[in-house]
Coordinates of all heavy atoms in Angstrom, one line a residue:
M11 N -8.6 -6.7 -12.6 CA -7.3 -7.4 -12.6 C -7.3 -8.4 -13.8 O -8.2 -9.2 -13.9 CB -7.1 -8.2 -11.3 CG -5.8 -8.9 -11.3 SD -5.4 -9.6 -9.7 CE -6.6 -10.9 -9.6
P12 N -6.3 -8.3 -14.6 CA -6.3 -9.2 -15.8 C -6.1 -10.7 -15.3 O -5.5 -10.9 -14.3 CB -5.0 -8.8 -16.5 CG -4.6 -7.5 -16.0 CD -5.2 -7.3 -14.6
E13 N -6.7 -11.6 -16.0 CA -6.7 -13.0 -15.7 C -5.3 -13.6 -15.6 O -4.9 -14.3 -14.7 CB -7.5 -13.9 -16.7 CG -9.0 -13.8 -16.5 CD -9.4 -14.4 -15.2 OE1 -8.9 -15.5 -14.8 OE2 -10.4 -13.9 -14.6
Q14 N -4.4 -13.1 -16.5 CA -3.0 -13.6 -16.5 C -2.3 -13.2 -15.2 O -1.3 -13.8 -14.8 CB -2.3 -13.2 -17.7 CG -2.0 -11.7 -17.9 CD -3.1 -11.0 -18.7 OE1 -4.3 -11.5 -18.7 NE2 -2.8 -9.9 -19.3
A15 N -2.7 -12.1 -14.6 CA -2.1 -11.6 -13.3 C -2.3 -12.6 -12.2 O -1.5 -12.8 -11.3 CB -2.5 -10.2 -13.0
A16 N -3.4 -13.2 -12.2 CA -3.8 -14.2 -11.1 C -2.9 -15.4 -11.2 O -2.8 -16.2 -10.2 CB -5.2 -14.6 -11.2
A17 N -2.2 -15.7 -12.3 CA -1.3 -16.8 -12.4 C 0.0 -16.6 -11.7 O 0.8 -17.5 -11.4 CB -1.1 -17.2 -13.8
S18 N 0.4 -15.3 -11.4 CA 1.6 -15.0 -10.8 C 1.4 -14.8 -9.3 O 0.5 -14.1 -8.9 CB 2.2 -13.7 -11.5 OG 3.4 -13.3 -10.8
P19 N 2.3 -15.2 -8.4 CA 2.2 -15.0 -7.0 C 2.5 -13.5 -6.6 O 2.0 -13.1 -5.5 CB 3.2 -15.9 -6.4 CG 4.2 -16.2 -7.4 CD 3.5 -16.1 -8.7
T20 N 3.2 -12.8 -7.4 CA 3.5 -11.4 -7.1 C 3.3 -10.5 -8.3 O 3.6 -10.9 -9.4 CB 5.0 -11.2 -6.7 OG1 5.2 -12.1 -5.5 CG2 5.3 -9.8 -6.3
I21 N 2.6 -9.4 -8.1 CA 2.4 -8.5 -9.2 C 2.8 -7.1 -8.7 O 2.9 -6.9 -7.5 CB 0.9 -8.4 -9.7 CG1 -0.1 -8.0 -8.6 CG2 0.5 -9.8 -10.3 CD1 -1.5 -7.7 -9.1
Q22 N 3.0 -6.1 -9.6 CA 3.3 -4.8 -9.3 C 2.1 -3.9 -9.6 O 1.5 -4.1 -10.7 CB 4.5 -4.3 -10.0 CG 5.8 -5.0 -9.6 CD 7.0 -4.4 -10.2 OE1 6.9 -3.6 -11.1 NE2 8.2 -4.8 -9.7
V23 N 1.7 -3.0 -8.6 CA 0.5 -2.2 -8.8 C 0.8 -0.8 -8.7 O 1.7 -0.4 -8.0 CB -0.7 -2.6 -7.9 CG1 -1.1 -4.1 -8.1 CG2 -0.2 -2.5 -6.4
D24 N 0.1 0.1 -9.3 CA 0.2 1.5 -9.2 C -1.0 1.9 -8.3 O -2.1 1.6 -8.5 CB 0.1 2.2 -10.5 CG 1.2 1.9 -11.4 OD1 2.3 1.6 -10.9 OD2 1.1 2.0 -12.6
L25 N -0.7 2.7 -7.2 CA -1.7 3.0 -6.2 C -1.8 4.6 -6.1 O -0.8 5.3 -6.3 CB -1.3 2.5 -4.8 CG -1.2 1.0 -4.8 CD1 -0.6 0.6 -3.4 CD2 -2.5 0.3 -5.0
E26 N -3.0 5.0 -5.7 CA -3.2 6.4 -5.4 C -3.9 6.4 -4.0 O -5.0 5.8 -3.9 CB -4.0 7.1 -6.5 CG -4.3 8.5 -6.2 CD -5.0 9.2 -7.4 OE1 -4.4 9.5 -8.4 OE2 -6.2 9.4 -7.2
I27 N -3.3 7.1 -3.0 CA -3.9 7.1 -1.7 C -4.1 8.5 -1.2 O -3.3 9.4 -1.4 CB -2.9 6.4 -0.7 CG1 -2.7 4.9 -1.1 CG2 -3.5 6.4 0.7 CD1 -1.7 4.2 -0.3
E28 N -5.3 8.7 -0.7 CA -5.6 10.0 -0.1 C -5.6 9.9 1.4 O -6.2 9.0 2.0 CB -7.0 10.5 -0.6 CG -7.2 11.9 -0.1 CD -8.6 12.5 -0.6 OE1 -9.1 12.0 -1.6 OE2 -9.0 13.5 0.0
F29 N -4.8 10.8 2.1 CA -4.7 10.8 3.5 C -4.5 12.2 4.0 O -3.7 12.9 3.4 CB -3.6 9.9 4.0 CG -3.4 9.8 5.5 CD1 -4.2 9.1 6.3 CD2 -2.3 10.5 6.0 CE1 -4.1 9.1 7.6 CE2 -2.1 10.4 7.4 CZ -3.0 9.8 8.2
A30 N -5.2 12.7 5.0 CA -5.0 14.0 5.6 C -5.2 15.1 4.5 O -4.5 16.1 4.5 CB -3.7 14.2 6.3
G31 N -6.1 14.8 3.6 CA -6.4 15.8 2.5 C -5.4 15.9 1.4 O -5.5 16.7 0.5
Q32 N -4.4 15.0 1.4 CA -3.4 15.0 0.4 C -3.4 13.7 -0.3 O -3.7 12.6 0.3 CB -2.0 15.2 1.0 CG -1.8 16.5 1.7 CD -1.8 17.7 0.8 OE1 -1.3 17.6 -0.4 NE2 -2.4 18.8 1.2
T33 N -3.1 13.7 -1.6 CA -3.1 12.5 -2.4 C -1.6 12.2 -2.8 O -0.9 13.0 -3.2 CB -3.9 12.6 -3.7 OG1 -5.3 12.9 -3.3 CG2 -3.9 11.4 -4.5
A34 N -1.2 10.9 -2.6 CA 0.1 10.5 -3.0 C 0.0 9.3 -4.0 O -1.0 8.5 -3.8 CB 0.9 10.0 -1.8
R35 N 0.9 9.2 -4.9 CA 0.9 8.1 -5.9 C 2.1 7.2 -5.7 O 3.2 7.8 -5.4 CB 0.9 8.7 -7.3 CG -0.5 9.3 -7.6 CD -0.5 10.1 -8.9 NE -1.7 10.7 -9.2 CZ -2.2 11.9 -8.6 NH1 -1.4 12.5 -7.8 NH2 -3.3 12.4 -8.9
F36 N 1.9 6.0 -5.7 CA 3.0 5.0 -5.6 C 3.0 4.1 -6.8 O 2.0 3.4 -7.1 CB 2.8 4.2 -4.3 CG 2.7 5.0 -3.1 CD1 1.5 5.5 -2.6 CD2 3.8 5.4 -2.4 CE1 1.4 6.3 -1.5 CE2 3.8 6.2 -1.3 CZ 2.5 6.6 -0.8
A37 N 4.1 4.0 -7.5 CA 4.2 3.2 -8.7 C 4.9 1.9 -8.4 O 5.9 1.8 -7.6 CB 5.0 4.0 -9.8
K38 N 4.4 0.9 -9.1 CA 5.0 -0.5 -9.1 C 5.3 -1.0 -7.6 O 6.4 -1.5 -7.3 CB 6.3 -0.4 -9.9 CG 6.0 -0.1 -11.3 CD 7.2 -0.2 -12.2 CE 6.8 0.2 -13.6 NZ 7.7 -0.1 -14.6
V39 N 4.3 -1.0 -6.8 CA 4.4 -1.5 -5.5 C 4.1 -3.0 -5.6 O 3.1 -3.5 -6.1 CB 3.3 -0.9 -4.5 CG1 3.3 -1.6 -3.2 CG2 3.5 0.6 -4.4
P40 N 5.1 -3.9 -5.1 CA 4.9 -5.3 -5.3 C 3.8 -5.8 -4.2 O 3.9 -5.4 -3.1 CB 6.2 -5.9 -5.0 CG 7.0 -4.9 -4.2 CD 6.3 -3.6 -4.6
V41 N 2.9 -6.6 -4.6 CA 1.9 -7.2 -3.8 C 1.8 -8.7 -4.1 O 2.1 -9.1 -5.2 CB 0.5 -6.6 -3.9 CG1 0.5 -5.2 -3.4 CG2 -0.1 -6.7 -5.2
Q42 N 1.5 -9.5 -3.1 CA 1.4 -10.9 -3.3 C -0.1 -11.3 -3.5 O -1.0 -10.8 -2.8 CB 1.9 -11.7 -2.0 CG 3.4 -11.6 -1.9 CD 3.9 -10.3 -1.4 OE1 3.3 -9.7 -0.6 NE2 4.9 -9.8 -2.1
L43 N -0.3 -12.3 -4.4 CA -1.6 -12.8 -4.7 C -1.7 -14.2 -4.2 O -0.7 -15.0 -4.4 CB -1.9 -12.7 -6.2 CG -2.0 -11.4 -6.8 CD1 -2.2 -11.6 -8.3 CD2 -3.2 -10.6 -6.3
A44 N -2.8 -14.6 -3.7 CA -3.1 -16.0 -3.3 C -4.5 -16.3 -3.6 O -5.4 -15.5 -3.3 CB -2.8 -16.2 -1.9
M45 N -4.7 -17.4 -4.2 CA -6.1 -17.9 -4.6 C -6.6 -18.8 -3.5 O -5.8 -19.8 -3.1 CB -6.2 -18.6 -5.9 CG -5.7 -17.7 -7.1 SD -6.9 -16.4 -7.4 CE -8.3 -17.2 -8.0
H46 N -7.8 -18.6 -3.0 CA -8.4 -19.5 -2.0 C -9.8 -19.8 -2.5 O -10.7 -19.0 -2.2 CB -8.5 -18.8 -0.6 CG -7.1 -18.5 0.0 ND1 -6.3 -19.4 0.5 CD2 -6.4 -17.3 0.1 CE1 -5.2 -18.9 1.0 NE2 -5.2 -17.6 0.7
G47 N -9.9 -20.9 -3.2 CA -11.2 -21.2 -3.9 C -11.5 -20.1 -4.9 O -10.8 -19.8 -5.8
Q48 N -12.7 -19.4 -4.7 CA -13.1 -18.3 -5.6 C -12.6 -17.0 -5.1 O -12.9 -16.0 -5.7 CB -14.6 -18.3 -5.7 CG -15.2 -19.5 -6.5 CD -14.7 -19.5 -8.0 OE1 -14.7 -18.5 -8.6 NE2 -14.2 -20.7 -8.4
D49 N -11.9 -17.0 -4.0 CA -11.5 -15.7 -3.4 C -10.0 -15.4 -3.8 O -9.2 -16.3 -4.0 CB -11.5 -15.7 -1.9 CG -13.0 -15.8 -1.4 OD1 -13.9 -15.4 -2.2 OD2 -13.2 -16.2 -0.2
I50 N -9.7 -14.1 -3.9 CA -8.3 -13.7 -4.2 C -7.9 -12.9 -3.0 O -8.5 -11.9 -2.6 CB -8.3 -12.8 -5.4 CG1 -8.8 -13.5 -6.7 CG2 -6.9 -12.2 -5.7 CD1 -8.9 -12.6 -7.9
K51 N -6.8 -13.2 -2.4 CA -6.2 -12.5 -1.3 C -5.0 -11.7 -1.8 O -4.1 -12.2 -2.5 CB -5.7 -13.5 -0.2 CG -5.1 -12.7 1.0 CD -4.7 -13.7 2.1 CE -4.1 -12.9 3.3 NZ -3.7 -13.7 4.4
I52 N -5.0 -10.4 -1.5 CA -3.9 -9.5 -1.9 C -3.2 -9.0 -0.6 O -3.9 -8.5 0.3 CB -4.4 -8.3 -2.7 CG1 -5.1 -8.9 -4.0 CG2 -3.4 -7.3 -3.0 CD1 -5.8 -7.8 -4.8
S53 N -1.9 -9.1 -0.5 CA -1.2 -8.5 0.7 C 0.1 -7.9 0.2 O 0.7 -8.3 -0.8 CB -1.0 -9.7 1.7 OG -0.3 -10.7 1.1
G54 N 0.5 -6.9 1.0 CA 1.8 -6.3 0.7 C 1.9 -5.1 1.6 O 1.1 -4.8 2.5
T55 N 3.0 -4.3 1.4 CA 3.3 -3.1 2.2 C 3.5 -2.0 1.3 O 4.4 -2.1 0.4 CB 4.5 -3.4 3.1 OG1 4.2 -4.5 4.0 CG2 4.8 -2.2 4.0
I56 N 2.9 -0.9 1.6 CA 3.0 0.4 0.8 C 4.1 1.2 1.5 O 3.9 1.5 2.7 CB 1.7 1.1 0.7 CG1 0.6 0.3 0.0 CG2 1.9 2.4 -0.1 CD1 -0.8 0.8 0.2
P57 N 5.2 1.5 0.8 CA 6.3 2.2 1.5 C 6.1 3.7 1.6 O 6.8 4.5 1.0 CB 7.5 1.9 0.5 CG 6.8 1.8 -0.8 CD 5.5 1.2 -0.6
S58 N 5.1 4.1 2.3 CA 4.7 5.6 2.4 C 5.5 6.3 3.5 O 6.1 5.6 4.4 CB 3.2 5.7 2.6 OG 2.9 5.2 3.9
T59 N 5.6 7.6 3.4 CA 6.2 8.4 4.4 C 5.3 9.6 4.7 O 4.4 9.9 4.0 CB 7.6 9.0 3.8 OG1 7.3 9.8 2.7 CG2 8.5 7.9 3.5
L60 N 5.6 10.2 5.9 CA 4.8 11.4 6.2 C 4.9 12.5 5.2 O 3.9 13.1 4.9 CB 5.2 11.9 7.6 CG 4.9 11.0 8.8 CD1 5.6 11.5 10.0 CD2 3.4 10.8 9.0
S61 N 6.1 12.7 4.7 CA 6.3 13.7 3.7 C 5.6 13.5 2.4 O 5.3 14.4 1.6 CB 7.8 14.0 3.4 OG 8.4 12.8 3.0
D62 N 5.2 12.2 2.1 CA 4.4 11.9 0.9 C 3.1 12.6 1.0 O 2.5 13.0 -0.1 CB 4.1 10.4 0.8 CG 5.3 9.6 0.4 OD1 6.2 10.2 -0.3 OD2 5.4 8.4 0.7
F63 N 2.6 12.9 2.2 CA 1.3 13.5 2.4 C 1.5 14.9 3.0 O 0.5 15.5 3.6 CB 0.5 12.7 3.3 CG 0.2 11.3 2.8 CD1 1.0 10.2 3.1 CD2 -0.8 11.1 1.8 CE1 0.7 9.0 2.6 CE2 -1.0 9.9 1.3 CZ -0.3 8.8 1.7
K64 N 2.7 15.5 2.8 CA 3.0 16.9 3.2 C 2.7 17.1 4.7 O 2.2 18.1 5.2 CB 2.3 17.9 2.4 CG 2.6 17.8 0.9 CD 1.9 18.8 0.1 CE 2.3 18.9 -1.3 NZ 1.9 17.7 -2.1
I65 N 3.1 16.1 5.5 CA 3.0 16.1 7.0 C 4.4 16.2 7.6 O 5.2 15.4 7.3 CB 2.3 14.9 7.6 CG1 0.9 14.8 7.0 CG2 2.3 14.9 9.1 CD1 0.2 13.5 7.3
D66 N 4.7 17.3 8.4 CA 5.9 17.4 9.0 C 6.0 16.4 10.1 O 5.1 16.3 10.9 CB 6.1 18.8 9.6 CG 6.2 19.9 8.5 OD1 6.8 19.6 7.4 OD2 5.8 21.0 8.8
P67 N 7.1 15.6 10.2 CA 7.3 14.6 11.2 C 7.3 15.3 12.6 O 8.0 16.3 12.8 CB 8.6 13.9 11.0 CG 8.9 14.2 9.5 CD 8.2 15.5 9.2
P68 N 6.4 14.9 13.5 CA 6.4 15.5 14.8 C 7.6 15.1 15.7 O 8.3 14.2 15.3 CB 5.1 15.0 15.5 CG 4.9 13.7 14.8 CD 5.5 13.8 13.4
K69 N 7.8 15.8 16.8 CA 8.8 15.5 17.7 C 8.2 15.0 19.0 O 7.3 15.6 19.5 CB 9.8 16.7 18.0 CG 10.6 17.0 16.7 CD 11.5 18.2 17.0 CE 12.3 18.5 15.7 NZ 13.2 19.5 15.9
L70 N 8.8 14.0 19.6 CA 8.3 13.5 20.9 C 9.3 13.8 21.9 O 10.4 13.2 21.9 CB 8.0 12.0 20.8 CG 7.5 11.3 22.0 CD1 6.1 11.8 22.4 CD2 7.4 9.8 21.8
L71 N 9.0 14.7 22.8 CA 9.9 15.2 23.8 C 11.3 15.6 23.2 O 12.3 15.1 23.6 CB 10.1 14.1 24.9 CG 8.8 13.7 25.6 CD1 9.2 12.5 26.5 CD2 8.3 14.8 26.4
T72 N 11.2 16.3 22.1 CA 12.3 16.8 21.4 C 13.1 15.8 20.6 O 14.1 16.0 20.0 CB 13.4 17.6 22.2 OG1 14.0 16.7 23.1 CG2 12.7 18.7 23.0
V73 N 12.6 14.5 20.6 CA 13.2 13.4 19.8 C 12.4 13.3 18.5 O 11.2 13.1 18.5 CB 13.2 12.1 20.5 CG1 13.7 11.0 19.7 CG2 13.9 12.2 21.9
P74 N 13.0 13.5 17.3 CA 12.3 13.4 16.1 C 11.7 12.0 15.9 O 12.3 11.0 16.2 CB 13.3 13.7 15.0 CG 14.6 14.1 15.7 CD 14.4 13.7 17.1
V75 N 10.5 12.0 15.3 CA 9.8 10.8 14.9 C 10.2 10.4 13.5 O 10.4 11.3 12.6 CB 8.3 10.9 15.0 CG1 7.5 9.7 14.5 CG2 7.9 11.3 16.5
K76 N 10.4 9.1 13.2 CA 10.7 8.7 11.8 C 9.7 9.2 10.8 O 8.5 9.2 11.1 CB 10.9 7.2 11.8 CG 12.0 6.7 12.6 CD 12.2 5.2 12.3 CE 13.4 4.7 13.1 NZ 13.5 3.2 12.9
N77 N 10.2 9.5 9.6 CA 9.3 9.9 8.5 C 8.6 8.7 7.9 O 7.5 8.9 7.3 CB 10.2 10.6 7.5 CG 9.4 11.3 6.4 OD1 8.3 11.8 6.6 ND2 9.9 11.3 5.2
E78 N 9.1 7.6 8.0 CA 8.5 6.4 7.4 C 7.3 6.0 8.1 O 7.2 6.0 9.3 CB 9.5 5.2 7.4 CG 10.7 5.4 6.5 CD 11.8 6.2 7.2 OE1 11.8 6.3 8.5 OE2 12.7 6.7 6.5
M79 N 6.2 5.6 7.3 CA 5.0 5.1 7.9 C 4.4 4.1 6.9 O 3.5 4.3 6.2 CB 4.0 6.1 8.2 CG 3.5 7.0 7.0 SD 2.1 8.0 7.5 CE 1.2 8.0 6.0
P80 N 5.1 2.9 6.8 CA 4.6 1.8 5.9 C 3.3 1.4 6.2 O 2.9 1.3 7.4 CB 5.7 0.8 6.0 CG 6.3 1.0 7.4 CD 6.2 2.5 7.6
V81 N 2.5 1.1 5.2 CA 1.1 0.7 5.4 C 0.9 -0.8 4.9 O 1.2 -1.0 3.8 CB 0.1 1.6 4.6 CG1 -1.3 1.1 4.8 CG2 0.2 3.0 5.1
K82 N 0.6 -1.6 5.8 CA 0.4 -3.0 5.5 C -1.0 -3.2 5.0 O -2.0 -2.8 5.6 CB 0.7 -3.9 6.7 CG 0.6 -5.4 6.4 CD 1.0 -6.3 7.6 CE 0.9 -7.7 7.1 NZ 1.2 -8.6 8.2
V83 N -1.1 -3.9 3.9 CA -2.4 -4.2 3.2 C -2.7 -5.7 3.2 O -1.8 -6.4 2.8 CB -2.4 -3.6 1.8 CG1 -3.7 -3.9 1.1 CG2 -2.1 -2.1 1.7
D84 N -3.9 -6.1 3.6 CA -4.3 -7.5 3.6 C -5.8 -7.5 3.2 O -6.6 -7.2 4.1 CB -4.0 -8.1 4.9 CG -4.1 -9.6 4.9 OD1 -4.2 -10.2 3.9 OD2 -4.1 -10.2 6.0
M85 N -6.1 -7.8 2.0 CA -7.5 -7.8 1.5 C -7.9 -9.1 0.8 O -7.0 -9.8 0.3 CB -7.7 -6.7 0.5 CG -7.4 -5.3 1.0 SD -7.7 -4.0 -0.3 CE -6.3 -4.3 -1.4
T86 N -9.1 -9.4 0.9 CA -9.7 -10.6 0.3 C -10.9 -10.2 -0.6 O -11.8 -9.5 -0.1 CB -10.1 -11.7 1.2 OG1 -8.9 -12.0 2.0 CG2 -10.5 -12.9 0.5
F87 N -10.9 -10.5 -1.8 CA -12.0 -10.2 -2.7 C -12.6 -11.5 -3.2 O -11.9 -12.5 -3.5 CB -11.4 -9.5 -4.0 CG -10.9 -8.2 -3.7 CD1 -9.5 -8.0 -3.5 CD2 -11.7 -7.0 -3.6 CE1 -9.0 -6.8 -3.2 CE2 -11.1 -5.8 -3.3 CZ -9.8 -5.7 -3.2
G88 N -14.0 -11.5 -3.2 CA -14.7 -12.7 -3.7 C -14.9 -12.5 -5.2 O -15.1 -11.5 -5.7
R89 N -14.7 -13.6 -5.9 CA -14.9 -13.6 -7.4 C -16.3 -14.0 -7.7 O -16.9 -14.9 -7.0 CB -14.0 -14.6 -8.1 CG -12.5 -14.2 -7.9 CD -11.6 -15.2 -8.6 NE -11.5 -14.8 -10.0 CZ -10.8 -15.4 -10.9 NH1 -10.2 -16.6 -10.6 NH2 -10.6 -15.0 -12.1
P90 N -16.9 -13.3 -8.7 CA -18.3 -13.6 -9.0 C -18.5 -15.0 -9.7 O -17.6 -15.6 -10.2 CB -18.7 -12.5 -10.0 CG -17.5 -11.9 -10.4 CD -16.4 -12.3 -9.5

């Protein structure tokens, strides 16, 4: 991560996620950055859907399930 990115509370990231044997790419996903001493905390939500991974939305008792499956991310990295 570039040093200048740490100065901003929100950055946009490009992500590649593999799930169920399929890879999906997400461009310019906004994530929040917070500095805690030498640690960097990254949090945000990836707006993924079942169809991003070529999964047909199942039906529960003939009621369709929503295609959306947002993934909440909350990570902390230690700086050397």
Side-chain angles (χ1 to χ4, degrees):
M11 180 173 68
E13 282 293 322
Q14 65 271 23
S18 175
T20 302
I21 62 170
Q22 293 185 347
V23 297
D24 295 334
L25 303 170
E26 183 175 282
I27 298 174
E28 185 177 341
F29 179 73
Q32 299 293 323
T33 301
R35 290 171 181 78
F36 302 91
K38 299 185 179 190
V39 176
V41 295
Q42 289 72 46
L43 293 177
M45 300 292 294
H46 298 283
Q48 291 295 314
D49 294 339
I50 301 172
K51 181 178 179 181
I52 299 174
S53 58
T55 302
I56 302 166
S58 63
T59 62
L60 292 172
S61 56
D62 288 334
F63 299 98
K64 298 180 176 71
I65 298 172
D66 292 328
K69 293 184 179 180
L70 179 63
L71 301 173
T72 70
V73 177
V75 174
K76 290 184 180 180
N77 188 36
E78 294 82 19
M79 59 170 215
V81 177
K82 184 175 179 179
V83 177
D84 193 9
M85 299 182 287
T86 302
F87 295 95
R89 295 180 89 180

